[in-house]
């Protein structure tokens, strides 16, 4: 099991870095919006707007990122023979634990936004 998790994480990091390298401006906009508290991370591995009244461009950015994440999760899940939800949950946990900086938002198990 531990080996499977390491393999999944390595694959996720590779897929993620490839996607970000292809669209650096989009990644910068996402990171900026996340740092500004407009976008947060959910435990299921997807992003969400923190404030429902966020501007349309922020909502579009979240939709775009989640579409790319969903495709990557589906690809990895198919290769590894595990449920796509498992890939999303592993990634969500890693993003919240290792990537989010203090002050950035994540959604807790009750569905409430919390600052790291």
């Amino acid at each position: 099991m531990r080996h499977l998790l390491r393999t999944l994480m390595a694959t996720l990091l590779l897929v993620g870095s490839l996607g970000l390298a292809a669209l650096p401006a989009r990644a910068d906009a996402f990171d900026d919006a996340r740092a500004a508290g407009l976008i947060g991370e959910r435990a299921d591995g997807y992003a969400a707007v923190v404030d429902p009244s966020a501007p349309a461009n922020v909502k579009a950015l979240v939709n775009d990122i989640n579409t790319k994440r969903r495709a990557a999760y589906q690809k990895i899940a198919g290769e590894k023979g595990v449920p796509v939800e498992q890939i999303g949950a592993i990634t969500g946990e890693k993003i919240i634990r290792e990537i989010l900086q203090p002050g950035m938002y994540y959604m807790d198990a009750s569905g409430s936004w919390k600052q790291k």
Side-chain angles (χ1 to χ4, degrees):
M1 180 67 169
R2 182 174 272 184
H3 176 69
L4 173 63
L5 290 176
R6 278 192 222 146
T7 303
L8 289 173
M9 292 314 301
T11 305
L12 287 170
L13 290 173
L14 176 62
V15 169
S17 66
L18 291 174
L20 295 178
L23 298 169
R26 198 74 163 161
D28 288 345
F30 179 78
D31 289 340
D32 290 346
R34 192 164 55 183
L38 298 172
I39 295 173
E41 294 290 343
R42 299 184 331 211
D44 64 359
Y46 294 97
V49 293
V50 174
D51 180 354
S53 65
N57 65 321
V58 172
K59 292 177 182 177
L61 184 59
V62 167
N63 288 335
D64 184 53
I65 292 295
N66 284 340
T67 298
K68 288 176 175 56
R69 287 184 182 184
R70 188 174 301 107
Y73 299 165
Q74 288 171 337
K75 180 179 187 297
I76 295 165
E79 291 171 355
K80 302 301 178 189
V82 299
V84 69
E85 295 83 7
Q86 183 179 356
I87 302 299
I90 291 168
T91 305
E93 179 184 335
K94 184 168 182 66
I95 290 170
I96 292 167
R97 186 180 65 241
E98 298 179 17
I99 295 175
L100 286 187
Q101 300 298 310
M104 292 181 173
Y105 286 88
Y106 67 94
M107 187 178 284
D108 69 9
S110 72
S112 299
W113 288 110
K114 303 287 183 188
Q115 277 188 297
K116 185 168 180 185

